[in-house]
Amino acid sequence: MKPSFYNLKGVHSGIAGAFLITIILIVQASHSMAGITTVTIHKRSTVIQEKILLGKISKIQGEDKYLNQKLSSIVIGRAPQPNKFRYINGKYIQIRLKQNKIDLSQVHISYPEKIEVYRDYKRVSKDEIKRIMLAYINKNIPWDKDSVRIKVINISSDLILPKGNVAYHVTPLKHWNYMGRGSIPIVFKVNNTFEKKTWVTVEVDVFGDVVISPKHLGKSTIMSK
């Protein structure tokens, strides 16, 4: 029986060829990945605006600046009410990308099992509302301030407003002379847009000297000096 002999040159060339093919595949894969934009969705995000933008709840990385900008501006949905949460499904985000004509073959999206979006807010406390109303009455009351007692009767609750530039306006009552009890509205705006109106019930007591008769005066009695 004759021994078998192998051509080492052929073996070496085969190994070299396989190694070269591997390198080519790696280079091709790296080039294909280089053109991919990655979108990493955060597990928990905080937003300020009324709409949830993709750029506000994710990290977007890619060489295509135009695509990055387009992805960032995609509206995923309405934000929750201030100081509230909303949960979003990752697959829904993919649907929103398709609806905005995004080629998903050029985008790699990774997201957690549960995506939580929180709406930032500003709280206006009952004490702040009370100070606003007292300042308004003290500024506009026609009576001598030394003879007046002002009491805030009722403020329903703290106000929860969206984050932003908060302004307010106290609306005067048409037929109230700043005496006795009245409910006065305060309108709050955020970024010059109406948000909420709250009513504050106040009571104003006015004290002064009055004439008192030592005896009963009948109806229609004419008093002399």
Side-chain angles (χ1 to χ4, degrees):
M1 182 176 179
K2 293 183 179 180
S4 300
F5 294 94
Y6 297 94
N7 189 332
L8 294 179
K9 182 177 180 181
V11 172
H12 290 165
S13 62
I15 294 173
F19 181 70
L20 180 60
I21 291 173
T22 302
I23 292 176
I24 291 173
L25 291 174
I26 292 173
V27 171
Q28 287 178 343
S30 63
H31 280 301
S32 62
M33 287 300 293
I36 295 292
T37 297
T38 61
V39 179
T40 306
I41 309 296
H42 305 312
K43 183 176 181 180
R44 189 178 191 274
S45 302
T46 300
V47 298
I48 297 175
Q49 295 86 356
E50 293 182 356
K51 297 179 180 179
I52 301 173
L53 302 179
L54 181 61
K56 297 297 183 180
I57 63 170
S58 67
K59 182 179 181 180
I60 301 173
Q61 293 178 301
E63 297 177 359
D64 190 336
K65 294 183 179 180
Y66 172 77
L67 178 58
N68 294 348
Q69 185 176 2
K70 185 176 180 180
L71 288 168
S72 296
S73 61
I74 290 177
V75 177
I76 302 303
R78 289 187 62 83
Q81 292 297 314
N83 197 28
K84 301 293 183 181
F85 292 91
R86 177 182 174 183
Y87 295 101
I88 300 176
N89 187 283
K91 292 182 179 179
Y92 175 72
I93 294 177
Q94 292 180 323
I95 293 173
R96 291 296 296 144
L97 265 59
K98 289 181 180 179
Q99 291 173 342
N100 283 269
K101 312 300 183 184
I102 299 297
D103 183 1
L104 295 185
S105 67
Q106 298 300 313
V107 179
H108 175 70
I109 306 175
S110 62
Y111 50 83
E113 182 178 352
K114 184 181 290 187
I115 302 167
E116 186 179 90
V117 180
Y118 172 77
R119 179 86 177 272
D120 207 352
Y121 72 99
K122 177 178 176 59
R123 182 187 298 273
V124 183
S125 68
K126 293 170 68 173
D127 287 340
E128 290 179 83
I129 296 172
K130 180 179 179 179
R131 285 195 292 269
I132 290 171
M133 183 53 65
L134 289 177
Y136 170 80
I137 293 177
N138 280 311
K139 181 180 179 181
N140 293 278
I141 198 167
W143 317 111
D144 181 2
K145 291 182 176 58
D146 293 333
S147 61
V148 170
R149 182 178 64 191
I150 305 170
K151 184 179 180 181
V152 176
I153 303 297
N154 181 54
I155 301 173
S156 57
S157 62
D158 294 353
L159 283 184
I160 302 298
L161 301 174
K163 199 80 169 181
N165 183 24
V166 177
Y168 61 85
H169 173 68
V170 180
T171 305
L173 299 178
K174 291 182 179 180
H175 305 292
W176 191 57
N177 61 354
Y178 296 92
M179 184 184 296
R181 182 173 294 194
S183 292
I184 306 173
I186 306 176
V187 175
F188 285 86
K189 292 185 176 183
V190 178
N191 298 331
N192 208 32
T193 301
F194 171 79
E195 284 298 336
K196 285 188 179 179
K197 178 189 289 187
T198 186
W199 294 80
V200 181
T201 303
V202 298
E203 188 173 81
V204 179
D205 295 327
V206 181
F207 301 92
D209 295 330
V210 296
V211 177
I212 300 176
S213 173
K215 62 180 180 179
H216 174 71
L217 298 175
K219 184 178 179 180
S220 302
T221 301
I222 297 175
M223 293 183 292
S224 65
K225 289 185 180 180

